[in-house]
Amino acid sequence: MNEMNTAKAYELRTLCADDVFPMFKIISKIGIKEFKSCFESEDVKEAIKSATNGETQDGLEVIGLGVALEIASVIMANVPQAKEDIYLFLAQVSGMSKDDIRNLPISTFTEMIIDMVKKEEFKDFFGVVSKLFK
C-alpha cells in the first residue's frame, strides 16, 4: 500500500492559547511527576544547557523534539487515566466529535496522538514549560 496516496482521516488545526487549559488538565491526570521526568534525560538537560549558553533557538528546538517524544511515551502509558480528556482535546483540535475519536481504528488514533506531539506549537509549548524544570 502506497502511504503517499492515503489521506489521513483527520486534520489537526494550529494550536492556540485556549488549548493550554485542556493540555494542563490532561497533564494533571497523567501526573506532573511523570511529565517532569520527561525533562530529566541527559539529552534534554544538555539541550537546556545549550539553550542557556546563547544557542536559544536551536536549543529550544532540540528540547521540544526530545521532550515531545518522551511525552508521547508518557501519554501512551497513561491514556486510561485521562482517556475522556484526551478524546475531548483531540476532538477540539480536529473538528471531530469525541465519539468519532473514540471509534477511530487503533492505528489511526495512535498516529493522531503522535502527530499531535510532533506539532511545532506542541513542541514549543513544552520547550517553554521545560524552563520550569531547570
Side-chain angles (χ1 to χ4, degrees):
M1 180 179 202
N2 187 344
E3 197 171 315
M4 292 179 65
N5 292 332
T6 305
K8 291 197 177 197
Y10 58 87
E11 185 176 325
L12 302 174
R13 67 166 168 74
T14 302
L15 299 177
C16 63
D18 208 34
D19 295 319
V20 169
F21 303 102
M23 289 168 64
F24 280 139
K25 188 172 182 182
I26 291 167
I27 290 168
S28 72
K29 287 201 174 173
I30 291 174
I32 194 70
K33 287 182 183 181
E34 292 204 36
F35 274 95
K36 183 178 179 188
S37 71
C38 292
F39 300 97
E40 294 176 345
S41 77
E42 288 306 312
D43 290 341
V44 172
K45 287 180 182 178
E46 193 59 39
I48 291 171
K49 184 178 174 183
S50 294
T52 59
N53 288 336
E55 303 167 26
T56 307
Q57 188 59 37
D58 290 341
L60 286 178
E61 287 176 15
V62 170
I63 292 167
L65 179 59
V67 171
L69 294 174
E70 291 196 37
I71 287 170
S73 174
V74 169
I75 289 172
M76 296 307 232
N78 293 290
V79 165
Q81 292 89 326
K83 178 174 77 171
E84 293 301 316
D85 296 299
I86 291 169
Y87 288 157
L88 179 61
F89 178 63
L90 291 174
Q92 290 172 341
V93 299
S94 69
M96 300 169 72
S97 72
K98 276 177 61 176
D99 283 338
D100 289 340
I101 302 293
R102 182 179 284 110
N103 293 311
L104 286 171
I106 192 165
S107 60
T108 304
F109 177 72
T110 305
E111 184 177 318
M112 190 179 210
I113 290 174
I114 291 168
D115 285 347
M116 175 55 63
V117 299
K118 288 170 87 178
K119 287 186 73 54
E120 200 60 42
E121 314 87 70
F122 193 90
K123 291 185 283 187
D124 290 345
F125 169 77
F126 281 100
V128 172
V129 170
S130 72
K131 292 177 184 180
L132 296 172
F133 300 108
K134 281 196 218 177

